[in-house]
Amino acid sequence: MKVESRREEPRVVGGWDDVVMHKSGLSIGEAAEAAGVTRKAIRVYESKGLLEEPARTASGYRMFDAGDVQVLTFIRRARTMGLHLEDIAELLAVSREGQAPCDRLAPRLDQRIAEVDEAIFELEGLRRSLGAARERLRVGVDDGTDASICPVVEQVG
C-alpha cells in the first residue's frame, strides 16, 4: 500500500472505497472513526510527524482526506503489531520517498519479538512468584517472622 500525498484532489487509494468524502474532507472525528483510532491519537500522530499537517477550513478546523485515513489505519495496524512510533515514522518516511518500506520491517519485527520474549520470561517469573505467595497463604502465614504488615508481601525478593 503506497501512501499518496493529500495535497492533490482527495482520492481513494488502495481499497479505501468505504471512506465517504465530503466536499471539503473529513472532520477529525470522522477520520478517527474511519481509521479506528481516537481523536487524541490523531493529534499525537500529527505532533510526532507521522501524519502530515492536514488542510484546514477557513475557521481553522482540520480536514482529512482518504490518504490521511489510509495513513492512520496503517499506523493503527502497525501499533497492533507492537511497532514503536519511531519505527512507524521511518516506514512512512520511506514510503513517502517512493521506496518499499517492507524491506526495513524485518529488523523491527525481530526486535519486537525479542522484547515480547523478554516480557514473557518476566511474566512467567512473576507468575511463579505469585503462585508461591498464594500457596504460602493457603498453608498459613505464621512462619515466625517479625513482619509488620503481611509477611507474604514483605518477604518477596
Side-chain angles (χ1 to χ4, degrees):
M1 181 177 345
K2 186 173 190 291
V3 178
E4 295 287 333
S5 171
R6 75 168 108 54
R7 301 303 159 230
E8 303 170 15
E9 183 65 29
R11 60 183 171 184
V12 175
V13 180
W16 299 97
D17 297 329
D18 58 337
V19 177
V20 178
M21 296 297 296
H22 300 290
K23 218 174 197 185
S24 58
L26 299 173
S27 70
I28 190 169
E30 292 167 328
E33 184 176 345
V37 299
T38 64
R39 293 176 200 175
K40 182 178 179 179
I42 291 177
R43 290 183 190 99
V44 169
Y45 301 153
E46 189 179 348
S47 72
K48 302 268 185 190
L50 278 76
L51 187 64
E52 294 178 359
E53 178 75 25
R56 292 191 181 260
T57 64
S59 55
Y61 290 102
R62 294 176 179 92
M63 296 308 295
F64 298 87
D65 64 25
D68 296 319
V69 173
Q70 179 184 18
V71 170
L72 290 167
T73 303
F74 176 84
I75 294 168
R76 178 181 50 81
R77 289 175 175 163
R79 292 292 294 149
T80 299
M81 294 176 67
L83 293 178
H84 301 289
L85 291 180
E86 300 81 27
D87 297 328
I88 298 168
E90 182 179 339
L91 294 173
L92 289 169
V94 168
S95 176
R96 287 178 181 132
E97 293 170 1
Q99 299 174 28
C102 288
D103 295 343
R104 305 212 182 169
L105 184 58
R108 277 137 190 89
L109 293 178
D110 292 341
Q111 177 62 36
R112 285 300 294 144
I113 290 168
E115 291 169 1
V116 168
D117 288 345
E118 179 64 25
I120 290 170
F121 178 77
E122 291 173 4
L123 287 170
E124 287 172 341
L126 175 60
R127 175 69 173 93
R128 286 188 298 277
S129 176
L130 292 171
R134 184 66 180 109
E135 181 62 20
R136 286 188 60 216
L137 285 172
R138 190 184 68 74
V139 297
V141 179
D142 187 21
D143 58 3
T145 63
D146 292 330
S148 62
I149 300 173
C150 177
V152 173
V153 174
E154 292 177 23
Q155 292 177 0
V156 171

